[in-house]
Every structure is written in C-alpha cells, then in structure tokens.
Amino acid sequence: MPDQLLFAMEVMLNGLMAGVLYALVALGFVLIFKASGIFNYAQGVMALFAALTLVGLQEGQVPFAHLINAIFGTDIHHFGWHLPALVAIILTIGVMVVLAIIVEKFVLKHLVNQEPIILFMATIGLAYFLEGFGDVMWGSEIKMLDVGLPQGASFWVEENTAWLGGEGFYGFFIDKLDMVAAVVAALLVISLTIFSQYSKQGRALRAVADDHQAALSVGISLRFIWVLVWSIAGFVALVAGIMWGAKSGVQFSLSLIALKALPVLMLGGFTSIPGAIVGGLIIGVGEKLFEFTIGPMVGGATENWFAYVLALLFLVFRPQGLFGEKIIERV
C-alpha cells in the first residue's frame, strides 16, 4: 500500500480520536440547550473548574491557600495527604452537583421565562466568575492530572498495522488515552440518549426547553429539572476535563476548548446528543485531513480555522445542523 495513503489513514484515525474529545465538550452544551433553550457559554470553564477541583482534592491542596496566606501571613499549601483517584472523582462530582444547585438558586431561578439572550448573557458572567473563582481557590499554575488512565502510543495497534506498509512503516500511531476517550464518549452518548428519550425526567427536560410556563402549569418542577441537567452537564464537564487535563495538563487555556465545540454543535445540531458525537468526528477528521493535504500548500496552521469555515457553510445551507430539529414558528 502506498506510503501516502497509509499516512492519510493514520491522520484520519487520529482525527477521529481528536473529534471524540471535541464531542465530549459539546455534549455538555447540548444538555443545557435541550433543558433551557440557551447556549451555555460557561461549559468550557466548567470543564476547567472540574479538572482543577479534581487535582486539588487528589493532591490534598488547601482551597484558597494563596488568599489565606496573604491575609493571615501563614504559609500553608497542602493538608499532607493524597486521595485515591476514584475518591477524588466522587467528591468532585459532589462539588459539581453543589455548583448546579447554587447556579439554579442564585441565577436561573430569577430568570424564568426571560428571553434566551438574557440567559445567554448570564452564562457569560458565570463563565468569568467560575474562571476567577477557580484561580483564587486552586491557584493558576499548570497542574498534572493523573487518574490512572493509560497514555502513550498503543503498541498493539502498531504491531497489528505494521504489515500494511513496507520496511519503513512501523504501524499506525494511536494514543491510548484517545482510545479510552472514544469508549467513554460512546458510553456517555448511549446513556444520555436513553435518559433523554425514555425516562420521565428526560421527557420533562424537553418540555421545559419548549416552554417554561407550560411546563410549570402541568406540574413539572422547573427548579429540579435545571438542577438535574446542570448536574449532568457538570459530570460531562468533569469527564471532558479529565481527558483534556490528562492529555495536556490542567491549565486555564483549557477553558478555550469551548470555542472548538461551537463548530461541532453547528454541524451536529444543538438539540441532538448523537449529533454532538458525529459533529465532533467530522470536525476532527476534516481538520486533520485538510491540514495533511492542503496545509502544506497554504503555509500550514489550517487546523486553527478549518472547523469555523466548515461551520459557516453549514449555517448558510443547513442552520439546524445534521441532526438538529428544524424550528418552524407561526407568525
């Protein structure tokens, strides 16, 4: 098999793996949008905050240590113990549930039946608040996240694909962490789709998204639904934060992954959970193949803008995305 074709296949496989990571972030956006009809700008920062909290709990870091030391002149940073990864993850899930309750109580409760743009602006404010709060609580330095996930090249994949090429081809390079992320994303999509389509809470969630007042009139607790969906979105943010944090370290640039989720949502549709995965895969494969084939002709760095150009084309010709619901309103 020609070397160029083999390299293109390897690029495509790595694009699929990168697309899964994009899709994990997009899932949180879809959940919030399905429940409230708004785009949650804070989802990327929630992934960052969850990852910061996980590392801080795992390493036994004292919350607000820098602030405490500045006020009282102390020099404390750690409790002196380390938590197992599983315990730290469970505690972080609890923190994200508490965050969901606080967001509902102090933000969403006061914005029932308001215009979507008002709710959207509220999530922008929430994003900047969480980013600053995470900085004060856990510090701004880059942190290493280790929860026992396998990393590095998969030798099994290399050994079982080496036969495709000649003597200079050693097999496809696929990161083990990306393979784990693909499995986790598949399980999340299946679970969330079943929850959304077949559970009582899932049907209530869709009713709330359609009309807040109508949902309230038939006995649906708007406050409970919002706490539930923001808790689930917080869990998805934690999963995304673990995958991205383990891959590139927990740093404040992690919040920018929300921007890469935008084209994913535009392709897959803002209301489709499977669409988030399909959109992520299209973006991941598309940007890698475009960089591989066209990048050298235009000076490279096409990965920075290819996804947004593709999303723009979808907005022009199919604004609801591949799997999104076409909204028709009577006037």
Side-chain angles (χ1 to χ4, degrees):
M1 195 176 291
D3 288 347
Q4 280 295 103
L5 180 57
L6 288 172
F7 290 143
M9 291 172 62
E10 183 178 6
V11 168
M12 185 181 298
L13 286 173
N14 279 282
L16 287 171
M17 299 296 105
V20 167
L21 292 175
Y22 296 152
L24 281 175
V25 183
L27 277 174
F29 288 102
V30 171
L31 287 169
I32 299 294
F33 191 84
K34 284 175 74 69
S36 58
I38 62 166
F39 176 78
N40 176 27
Y41 186 84
Q43 186 65 30
V45 183
M46 286 171 63
L48 167 66
F49 183 77
L52 285 171
T53 303
L54 176 59
V55 175
L57 293 173
Q58 198 173 1
E59 295 182 352
Q61 185 178 344
V62 178
F64 307 104
H66 297 288
L67 185 63
I68 294 171
N69 292 336
I71 294 175
F72 299 102
T74 55
D75 188 27
I76 57 172
H77 297 282
H78 293 83
F79 290 111
W81 40 258
H82 287 74
L83 289 177
L86 181 59
V87 175
I89 289 173
I90 293 172
L91 290 176
T92 305
I93 292 173
V95 171
M96 299 309 290
V97 172
V98 171
L99 175 64
I101 295 172
I102 292 173
V103 168
E104 190 281 326
K105 184 175 180 61
F106 293 101
V107 180
L108 300 178
K109 184 179 73 172
H110 305 285
L111 299 176
V112 174
N113 212 35
Q114 294 294 324
E115 293 294 326
I117 186 63
I118 295 176
L119 289 165
F120 173 64
M121 295 301 293
T123 66
I124 294 178
L126 178 64
Y128 285 106
F129 170 79
L130 272 181
E131 190 166 350
F133 188 73
D135 186 2
V136 174
M137 187 173 184
W138 300 113
S140 59
E141 65 275 7
I142 298 176
K143 300 173 175 63
M144 297 301 297
L145 177 59
D146 182 13
V147 293
L149 294 176
Q151 297 194 50
S154 172
F155 294 112
W156 182 87
V157 173
E158 289 186 7
E159 291 171 359
N160 286 274
T161 55
W163 60 273
L164 294 171
E167 294 182 359
F169 183 73
Y170 300 101
F172 292 144
F173 179 91
I174 305 294
D175 197 306
K176 294 178 183 176
L177 181 62
D178 292 340
M179 297 171 67
V180 171
V183 174
V184 170
L187 293 174
L188 271 177
V189 169
I190 293 171
S191 302
L192 292 173
T193 302
I194 293 173
F195 170 78
S196 177
Q197 297 295 329
Y198 301 107
S199 70
K200 179 180 178 181
Q201 290 78 12
R203 291 191 293 270
L205 183 150
R206 297 199 303 274
V208 169
D210 288 338
D211 192 313
H212 294 172
Q213 293 294 344
L216 286 170
S217 67
V218 296
I220 295 175
S221 173
L222 187 61
R223 298 186 63 179
F224 171 76
I225 291 297
W226 271 352
V227 169
L228 176 65
V229 77
W230 276 77
S231 298
I232 298 174
F235 173 73
V236 174
L238 171 60
V239 174
I242 289 174
M243 298 303 172
W244 280 97
K247 190 177 183 69
S248 57
V250 179
Q251 49 192 312
F252 277 77
S253 61
L254 190 65
S255 62
L256 299 179
I257 59 176
L259 299 178
K260 209 51 175 286
L262 281 172
V264 174
L265 293 166
M266 292 173 189
L267 264 68
F270 279 80
T271 59
S272 173
I273 292 173
I277 295 295
V278 174
L281 296 179
I282 293 174
I283 292 294
V285 172
E287 68 179 14
K288 297 294 183 184
L289 282 178
F290 193 84
E291 176 70 28
F292 178 73
T293 56
I294 308 299
M297 303 178 190
V298 296
T302 61
E303 290 186 41
N304 295 330
W305 53 262
F306 170 80
Y308 301 99
V309 173
L310 184 60
L312 179 61
L313 293 175
F314 265 77
L315 284 176
V316 172
F317 296 104
R318 190 177 175 83
Q320 73 270 25
L322 292 173
F323 297 90
E325 300 171 0
K326 191 171 184 178
I327 300 174
I328 300 175
E329 295 182 356
R330 292 183 178 182
V331 295

